[in-house]
Amino acid sequence: MSNFVELKRQMIEHQMVARGLRDEQVLAAVNAVPREKFVPSDLVEFAYHDAPLPIAARQTISQPYIVALMIAALQLKAEDRVLEIGTGSGYAAAVLAEIAAEVYTVERHKILADSARSRLVEMGYTNIEVLFGDGTLGWQSQAPFDAIAVAAGGPEVPQSLKEQLAIGGRLVIPVGDQIHTQKLLRIRRISETDYQEEDLGAVHFVPLIGVSGWEEEEAGEPTKAKVSTSLEELIYQSSEHFGSVEDVDLDKLLHRIGNSRLVLLGEASHGSAEFYEMRARITRELIEKKGFTIVAVEADWPDASHINHFIHNRSPDPLLVDAPFSRFPTWMWANQSVLEFCHWLKRFNATVVDKDLAVGFYGLDLYSLNSSIEAVLNYLQEVDPETAELARGRYGCLTPWANDPSIYGQLMLNKQYKKCEKEVLATLRDLLKQRLAYSEADGQRFFDAEQNARLVANAERYYRTLYYAEQNSWNQRDQHMFDTLQSILKFRGTVNGVKSKAVIWEHNSHIGDARATQMSARGELNLGQLVREKYKRDNYLIGFGTDHGTVAAASEWGGPMEVKQVQPAHIDSYERLFHQVPTDNFILPLIKPLQQNVRRKLLAERLERAIGVIYRPESELQSHYFYASLARQFDEYIWFDETRAVEPLSRQQNKAGLETFPFGI
Ligand code: SAH
């Protein structure tokens, strides 16, 4: 270690100062960067030699003196934003980052861009961004720059680089009509249209290859490098990469979501924490920045209603006697990630002055036959005891099966028992007839009761047709979810002249357009399809995926939660493709701005994995994979290469305190 410190001191003294380079700022920056970390391990002993050294992809790390000379020529100030073309090892970028506020660096060899990026992150640089691409085009979205350094020699000064200079900005670039010999030029932009050029002397750089540089063959590079870019690389280039959910920048995603009224957020399993956390992150931003007031999830109405009361700071509703999410699969909503999100919602609502802008939490699903019946009866008992009596009699038809309604479905098959369709519909009708009278007292509570009565009616049909092949109960469930969503949108109406907007959290299989998957061949539709059909371009569907990690799931319906290992994805799957993209987490648009040629490739059908509340790794291919056309199924896709199981809330532990209400009851 100390050996390198001494070698570095000598390098600065003999190779830089002795040659007349006296810029204190640059020398201090060179002194701050351990060059030995940027050279291949077998060449470490030569790190401070007065020479360029070979790195991967037949490129070089520049001679130390040349790096210092170029940087001195840039005349940097501490607040400057700098663009470097030719990241190579990342060494020059690190020296630049010691002086300037922000450094953007572009490299055309992916292997170099990737290794430089991870090396710089590991070394703790937070003000350097590495882009894989053709640097002769600059970095338009980050322009203008106060300074641009080009670390490879081209035949001319690329026009895009000149245009990306700020007025007063400096561009230092080796230019020459011979491939390996150039003049080092400094070009200063003095006005919108005028540039000044100075010649800083002869230099030898590796060739600048790209649209405004040399062509590959001219530069004598292997033609193999010209082979068309792989799909993994195209995805890498087309996506936004991020480290963790906390620090992901969602501005571009929010821009693409635009004015969509409905944003559907999927999940590839019901038990992976990252999906919940990312959905919470996106939802928070939609609420804060775009005025969304509805969060609707794949949970039952009465359960979600508990949460809704909680986040509105109302006391728990005595009508809702069941603990929320006590039905299998409890971990799907009673988990740490959801808890944190609900607490955020509560804090947010506390800051909202106009009550119409408070966020509501709603359940779209229909599995709560029992507690919905109870909720309707309790409501009626309070507002209209006579009708309550009538309803109790009618719902009595279902009472024997209310705790296990699938038995009702089985019995309906052989027609031994009377069906309860008429009865449940009559109760709903009675309730709706009194809408005006009832809701005058409390519109929110009437809405709650109405949705429960609708749920009972739809659940009756759902269970009754569960075992009839020709009557698709899946469709009834998704139709119920869609109808419920519409009721909520209507109930929340318009705020300040703007129609209410909703974020929906459901499994990918509900929110990705069914028409793009094998489901549609079975005559199945889903929420995503219904939303697209009705709301045209007023919606945005986002799918989620993962390759491996752990997941919370059961082995069979009603079984205990287990933490299971997610198998690495199948070779023919989208998941495998995304696993091969050389970055762990990314956000990938599947419609514009995604380029047509990439989109076309992502339209081709592949396997896609769906893990529900049950996961059977042993029979994964049969039980969890289906064919889909991803770019048709979703508008956007969010990838986490590795995910971890959600952390279920321990009800016992929480029983003690109100701290975690409503989960703790
Ligand atoms: N600054 C680097 C020196 C790298 S040598 C260091 O400190 O290590 C020049 C680099 O420019 C090579 O890695 C080469 O692949 C890259 N390069 C050449 N043409 C390019 C282009 N059009 N866009 C981006 N990088 C390019």
Side-chain angles (χ1 to χ4, degrees), residues 257-333:
I257 287 173
N259 292 324
S260 298
R261 216 184 142 194
L262 301 177
V263 176
L264 280 63
L265 303 177
E267 57 182 352
S269 91
H270 281 318
S272 314
E274 284 79 359
F275 300 149
Y276 287 84
E277 288 162 3
M278 187 63 154
R279 294 188 300 183
R281 211 16 248 283
I282 296 170
T283 307
R284 274 161 25 202
E285 300 218 1
L286 290 173
I287 291 169
E288 287 182 327
K289 299 184 178 162
K290 289 185 184 272
F292 278 65
T293 54
I294 296 166
V295 179
V297 305
E298 189 183 339
D300 297 325
W301 184 270
D303 286 338
S305 212
H306 267 294
I307 308 289
N308 197 36
H309 283 272
F310 170 67
I311 63 173
H312 282 89
N313 226 0
R314 294 192 202 110
S315 52
D317 191 327
L319 294 176
L320 302 166
V321 292
D322 270 2
F325 312 121
S326 54
R327 180 183 66 77
F328 175 87
T330 50
W331 64 91
M332 189 171 150
W333 296 108

Side-chain angles (χ1 to χ4, degrees), residues 603-616:
L603 283 171
E605 290 201 346
R606 285 174 194 251
L607 287 173
E608 186 182 319
R609 178 163 59 192
I611 300 177
V613 290
I614 298 178
Y615 181 44
R616 299 201 175 110

Side-chain angles (χ1 to χ4, degrees), residues 313-614:
N313 226 0
R314 294 192 202 110
S315 52
D317 191 327
L319 294 176
L320 302 166
V321 292
D322 270 2
F325 312 121
S326 54
R327 180 183 66 77
F328 175 87
T330 50
W331 64 91
M332 189 171 150
W333 296 108
N335 67 51
Q336 197 59 37
S337 316
V338 173
L339 178 79
E340 278 159 29
F341 178 55
C342 291
H343 280 255
W344 183 89
L345 287 173
K346 189 182 175 81
R347 286 196 299 278
F348 174 83
N349 279 349
T351 67
V352 172
V353 184
D354 180 353
K355 253 180 56 193
D356 287 344
L357 291 173
V359 178
F361 191 89
Y362 308 92
L364 301 179
D365 222 334
L366 51 49
Y367 289 118
S368 55
L369 190 60
N370 207 4
S371 42
S372 287
I373 288 178
E374 249 173 273
V376 175
L377 293 179
N378 287 337
Y379 174 75
L380 286 173
Q381 188 61 39
E382 227 175 277
V383 300
D384 187 348
E386 252 172 63
T387 311
E389 202 47 46
L390 199 61
R392 196 165 288 119
R394 287 177 175 148
Y395 279 161
C397 176
L398 278 173
T399 315
W401 340 110
N403 278 326
D404 191 355
S406 66
I407 296 177
Y408 172 68
Q410 281 171 22
L411 295 172
M412 284 304 116
L413 256 190
N414 43 33
K415 301 196 170 54
Q416 284 170 340
Y417 284 81
K418 178 173 162 301
K419 64 176 180 178
C420 305
E421 186 180 20
K422 268 209 211 96
E423 283 77 0
V424 295
L425 289 175
T427 305
L428 176 61
R429 252 196 323 271
D430 280 355
L431 198 69
L432 294 179
K433 260 195 272 169
Q434 298 298 325
R435 179 194 293 274
L436 269 184
Y438 290 168
S439 56
E440 212 172 280
D442 187 336
Q444 166 70 43
R445 286 194 54 205
F446 174 77
F447 180 58
D448 205 37
E450 175 191 341
Q451 289 312 314
N452 277 310
R454 285 188 191 283
L455 190 154
V456 175
N458 288 339
E460 185 277 332
R461 191 175 55 225
Y462 172 82
Y463 287 113
R464 176 157 44 81
T465 55
L466 197 57
Y467 299 96
Y468 288 101
E470 73 274 17
Q471 277 175 303
N472 202 319
S473 56
W474 169 277
N475 287 1
Q476 283 167 17
R477 181 171 167 222
D478 274 56
Q479 186 69 49
H480 170 80
M481 300 205 273
F482 180 65
D483 294 345
T484 308
L485 176 63
Q486 299 228 76
S487 302
I488 300 166
L489 288 167
K490 199 162 148 221
F491 177 71
R492 295 301 306 259
T494 55
V495 183
N496 303 331
V498 182
K499 287 183 182 157
S500 55
K501 300 186 195 174
V503 198
I504 294 111
W505 293 25
E506 298 224 3
H507 196 281
N508 282 348
S509 54
H510 294 295
I511 69 119
D513 191 332
R515 291 168 297 183
T517 73
Q518 259 181 312
M519 289 164 72
S520 88
R522 296 197 297 263
E524 290 176 354
L525 48 73
N526 68 0
L527 185 71
Q529 174 183 344
L530 294 169
V531 161
R532 269 193 179 163
E533 284 170 352
K534 165 96 191 203
Y535 292 88
K536 304 289 180 238
R537 300 297 324 149
D538 218 5
N539 63 80
Y540 207 74
L541 315 187
I542 306 181
F544 285 68
T546 188
D547 178 68
H548 60 275
T550 55
V551 66
S555 294
E556 74 247 329
W557 191 260
M561 189 205 100
E562 299 164 48
V563 173
K564 300 188 172 216
Q565 292 291 327
V566 180
Q567 300 291 308
H570 191 277
I571 192 153
D572 294 329
S573 66
Y574 282 110
E575 285 85 354
R576 171 62 75 89
L577 171 68
F578 294 145
H579 174 61
Q580 282 166 345
V581 175
T583 185
D584 283 346
N585 309 327
F586 58 81
I587 305 179
L588 174 70
L590 294 169
I591 53 174
K592 258 203 210 144
L594 185 68
Q595 286 178 354
Q596 271 306 326
N597 62 327
V598 188
R599 180 159 199 272
R600 232 174 283 124
K601 294 187 171 142
L602 290 169
L603 283 171
E605 290 201 346
R606 285 174 194 251
L607 287 173
E608 186 182 319
R609 178 163 59 192
I611 300 177
V613 290
I614 298 178

